[in-house]
Amino acid sequence: MAGPSWDGHAFGMLNASESLPMKARVIKMRRIWLKTHRWAALGVGWLLALIALAGSLLLIAQPVDRLAHPRLFKSEPIAAASLAGAPSMESIRRGLTAAFGSQASFTLRPPRAPDESMWVIVRSPSWSGTVYLHPATGLEQGRRGEYEGAVNLLFKFHSALLLEDTGKMILAWIALSYLALLISGLVLWWPKRWPPTLNIELHKGLLRGLFDLHRTGGVVLGLLITVSVATGAYMAWRPLSEFVTTLSGEKPVKPPKVTVAGTKPSATIPLDNLLASAQARFQEDRVGYVQIPAEPNRPIRIRMRLAEDPHPNGLTSIWLHPTTGAVLAVNRWNELDLGARAFSYIYPLHTGKLGGLFLEVVTFIVGLALAMLGISGIWLWWLRRSRIRIKNL
């Protein structure tokens, strides 16, 4: 039998000496794998490609956005003489509550560099988004709605398909479908002779070039793409981490409860005192976020970024009573349950922060590769379909 043609892949090719029933069974199995690969790609592969493309664009768009909008992200230095009248964190909180109402929750992100602004993520019935404040004066420098701007839209699409919790669940199932694409693609590619050839014949026509790019790219980058897809699904859908904790046999670490209902935010202990209490426990480490819930009977959470924590925002939590300021619990990042503890590595691995600039570049390339695999696969299907339709005319 002549050597296999490019569209009748080596996986399905048998020598002439092999029996016809065996040939028929192998051809039938190959057709099943091919249909699995094709319909998984046409069903959700295109959406997976768009999600990956949005992720790669985010890696570039976020730093560009900061450069393009210094009004939001940069704060001009204030003379030392003017700092005497700097507002307290408590006055900032009260101002936010007055502006957005008592039903609003706030997540404060203190500056992480001398010239950075303070970010306040607002969730309220009337408005949701981010307010940017000058850390020394408390004056607002600007604000953005939750879905305002290209970066916010890219992030919302990449992380939840613009569908909030429903989108996160869909993302997890789409990530699972990638396993079907990967396994079926490997089966279709699997050569009879090793080492395999990974040639890309671009000079033999568009269809052949696309086929080689799609096949070789999927094989060479399949593992890296799997890591990116799996970590993204893990972050998107909380039940996955809960499932990991259950499998490990550990008890999930849950936020403490405030047994005595607190009072209105205006009567709570000053926020500056709470921050000082948290900072006293980890004097050498910085505050990552301060999460102030709208409900007065829920604890305030202060997230600390410990030096040894690989998570760039920190996962160590100090839970404080909103009225008395008592420390209800301290959860170090490396003492959380396995499902939650894994986020310290999964988040920076997915975003590329774990390995510095090199891994960020790799993450960008992997996202583009997954997008191109989706595009090339659908293009191949369309070209072949068009050729068959023309032949049947």
Side-chain angles (χ1 to χ4, degrees):
M1 183 175 179
S5 63
W6 65 270
D7 57 345
H9 197 269
F11 171 80
M13 293 301 169
L14 298 169
N15 295 328
S17 59
E18 294 179 281
S19 64
L20 288 177
M22 177 62 74
K23 281 186 179 182
R25 284 197 294 270
V26 171
I27 292 173
K28 183 178 180 180
M29 285 302 301
R30 183 177 185 277
R31 286 175 178 169
I32 292 173
W33 283 112
L34 183 60
K35 286 183 178 180
T36 300
H37 191 78
R38 178 184 299 155
W39 291 111
L42 293 175
V44 298
W46 61 273
L47 186 54
L48 189 61
L50 290 177
I51 294 166
L53 182 60
S56 288
L57 291 176
L58 267 175
L59 290 174
I60 296 176
Q62 286 175 332
V64 170
D65 186 43
R66 293 195 183 193
L67 291 174
H69 301 92
R71 175 179 61 87
L72 299 178
F73 301 101
K74 296 289 184 182
S75 293
E76 295 296 329
I78 300 296
S82 303
L83 292 178
S88 64
M89 293 294 286
E90 177 61 22
S91 65
I92 290 176
R93 174 169 74 165
R94 292 185 179 184
L96 291 166
T97 302
F100 296 102
S102 60
Q103 294 184 330
S105 64
F106 307 108
T107 298
L108 283 67
R109 180 188 182 275
R112 299 179 183 178
D115 61 345
E116 272 193 348
S117 61
M118 177 188 292
W119 306 359
V120 182
I121 302 170
V122 180
R123 296 289 179 268
S124 75
S126 59
W127 185 82
S128 293
T130 304
V131 178
Y132 301 89
L133 305 176
H134 195 294
T137 66
L139 296 177
E140 181 177 327
Q141 298 183 183
R143 64 176 64 182
R144 269 184 180 168
E146 190 176 6
Y147 292 91
E148 183 181 349
V151 171
N152 282 357
L153 283 174
L154 277 173
F155 176 77
K156 288 292 185 179
F157 177 76
H158 180 72
S159 61
L161 299 175
L162 305 175
L163 296 174
E164 301 298 338
D165 290 340
T166 301
K168 292 178 179 181
M169 181 180 64
I170 294 172
L171 278 178
W173 285 104
I174 289 175
L176 183 63
S177 71
Y178 175 74
L179 292 178
L181 286 169
L182 177 66
I183 294 171
S184 58
L186 284 174
V187 170
L188 292 170
W189 166 84
W190 200 264
K192 293 190 64 177
R193 297 178 181 85
W194 287 80
T197 59
L198 299 174
N199 296 335
I200 299 177
E201 305 287 352
L202 296 177
H203 61 283
K204 294 186 177 180
L206 177 61
L207 197 58
R208 171 61 185 270
L210 274 176
F211 178 81
D212 285 347
L213 283 170
H214 185 81
R215 179 184 62 178
T216 303
V219 169
V220 172
L221 297 175
L223 181 59
L224 288 175
I225 292 173
T226 301
V227 171
S228 181
V229 172
T231 53
Y234 193 89
M235 291 191 302
W237 202 35
R238 183 66 63 176
L240 289 177
S241 62
E242 296 171 354
F243 178 67
V244 169
T245 297
T246 301
L247 283 181
S248 70
E250 298 180 4
K251 291 184 178 180
V253 177
K254 297 182 178 180
K257 295 181 179 180
V258 177
T259 54
V260 179
T263 56
K264 294 295 182 182
S266 59
T268 58
I269 191 169
L271 185 57
D272 303 81
N273 294 9
L274 299 179
L275 285 169
S277 176
Q279 194 71 70
R281 290 180 172 264
F282 301 99
Q283 297 181 11
E284 303 299 323
D285 303 296
R286 65 169 169 81
V287 174
Y289 289 101
V290 181
Q291 297 176 329
I292 307 171
E295 300 84 351
N297 61 345
R298 288 181 58 193
I300 290 175
R301 180 190 185 191
I302 298 179
R303 282 176 59 177
M304 303 293 296
R305 168 68 164 86
L306 274 58
E308 69 274 15
D309 188 351
H311 197 295
N313 299 319
L315 282 185
T316 295
S317 298
I318 301 175
W319 302 90
L320 301 161
H321 195 288
T323 304
T324 67
V327 176
L328 302 175
V330 178
N331 303 134
R332 293 180 64 98
W333 72 274
N334 54 355
E335 296 173 354
L336 298 171
D337 57 82
L338 181 59
R341 192 163 67 243
F343 279 98
S344 282
Y345 296 95
I346 285 176
Y347 175 81
L349 181 60
H350 183 77
T351 59
K353 301 293 185 183
L354 191 63
L357 180 60
F358 173 76
L359 188 56
E360 288 189 52
V361 172
V362 171
T363 302
F364 174 77
I365 293 173
V366 166
L368 285 185
L370 179 52
M372 292 310 298
L373 284 174
I375 294 170
S376 61
I378 293 174
W379 198 354
L380 274 170
W381 170 78
W382 181 256
L383 285 174
R384 288 178 176 175
R385 184 180 176 88
S386 299
R387 289 192 175 189
I388 292 172
R389 189 164 56 244
I390 291 172
K391 287 181 180 180
N392 293 334
L393 289 177

